[in-house]
Amino acid sequence: MDTGVRQIDLQHQELVRLINEMERAHAAGQSSTALDDILPSLTTYALFHFGDEELLLAQVAEGTAYAEHHLKEHRNFVAEIQRLISSRASQSDAELVEVLTRYLAHWLLSHISGTDRVLARRLLGKPAP
């Protein structure tokens, strides 16, 4: 899942580590801990990462349709996480952690392999597909 841009790749590794930490807590029967302790860290780190990506994006693609698409993916991610968190009262913590980890893993894989790879190519001065 590497993009070739060290800064981005290291941040992606941290996001994956936090998702895995949530899954481990859930598997150990600590779904509430996953939601109360790990999810806030993951959310905060994701926002930090998006900020970094958006600064890089402004350097190589500001005002383009690609940049708008990339920003929209970030906004949609934040909105979906907020929606899922707000659904906590209507389901068990275990169910919510399962939904969240599936969403996070799928979204991150899709975002890295598509949108972020295009950003990396632009940053590295390579033609985007």
Side-chain angles (χ1 to χ4, degrees):
M1 289 196 334
D2 286 344
T3 65
V5 177
R6 183 167 169 72
Q7 173 183 352
I8 293 173
D9 290 340
L10 290 173
Q11 291 176 7
H12 288 161
Q13 290 171 15
E14 179 62 10
L15 289 168
V16 169
R17 186 192 70 74
L18 288 165
I19 293 167
N20 289 340
E21 190 176 335
M22 272 185 55
E23 288 178 326
R24 279 191 299 276
H26 170 64
Q30 299 172 346
S31 298
S32 295
T33 299
L35 293 173
D36 295 335
D37 298 340
I38 302 164
L39 183 59
S41 297
L42 188 141
T43 304
T44 299
Y45 195 82
L47 294 174
F48 160 76
H49 169 66
F50 290 167
D52 263 11
E53 274 192 4
E54 291 168 13
L55 288 173
L56 295 170
L57 187 61
Q59 295 174 15
V60 295
E62 190 167 36
T64 65
Y66 162 74
E68 184 52 39
H69 170 75
H70 199 130
L71 294 171
K72 185 176 180 182
E73 283 190 11
H74 289 176
R75 288 189 303 267
N76 289 345
F77 173 89
V78 170
E80 182 62 11
I81 294 300
Q82 289 172 342
R83 186 192 71 74
L84 288 169
I85 291 169
S86 70
S87 73
R88 188 172 184 181
S90 65
Q91 59 189 316
S92 73
D93 285 354
E95 291 170 325
L96 181 55
V97 172
E98 288 175 16
V99 170
L100 272 165
T101 55
R102 271 195 312 271
Y103 173 77
L104 291 165
H106 177 266
W107 188 91
L108 192 61
L109 178 62
S110 175
H111 186 74
I112 291 170
S113 65
T115 311
D116 283 350
R117 285 224 171 116
V118 172
L119 174 59
R121 292 187 67 78
R122 289 174 181 240
L123 289 166
L124 298 170
K126 299 177 180 178

